[in-house]
Amino acid sequence: GPPTGPGAAAAAANSHAILNGLVAAAESILGDKAAKVVRKIEESGHSREEYLAAVEGCYKLIRLTIDEGRAEEFRTAAKDVIARGG
């Protein structure tokens, strides 16, 4: 089964904080264009590595569909969220 105990609960809470932080970053940087990026983040796995991979995917998506400046801004903000743990 899934891991249990205080460590697992803390990891799950941490993962949720990262998810919220990434969504907030996407919405603040991309405004009404954030929906696809938010969906990509929400559908990603919830480990740090999976979030980082999702951020790279979002970076490419933003660069293609919006512009490179906001793609860079999002990637920087997102990596900061992941590094801080939420």
Side-chain angles (χ1 to χ4, degrees):
T4 54
N14 192 29
S15 166
H16 199 70
I18 291 174
L19 176 63
N20 289 342
L22 293 175
V23 169
E27 288 176 343
S28 73
I29 293 163
L30 306 173
D32 60 1
K33 298 190 174 90
K36 279 184 185 160
V37 171
V38 169
R39 192 170 317 124
K40 206 172 181 72
I41 295 164
E42 287 175 340
E43 288 172 357
S44 83
H46 296 264
S47 73
R48 200 161 285 236
E49 291 70 32
E50 287 167 316
Y51 279 130
L52 284 168
V55 165
E56 288 305 315
C58 291
Y59 169 77
K60 291 180 181 137
L61 178 69
I62 298 163
R63 211 173 60 187
L64 287 170
T65 60
I66 306 170
D67 63 61
E68 192 164 351
R70 277 190 281 185
E72 294 284 354
E73 192 182 344
F74 170 76
R75 184 162 65 175
T76 300
K79 286 187 168 178
D80 190 47
V81 167
I82 294 167
R84 284 201 321 265

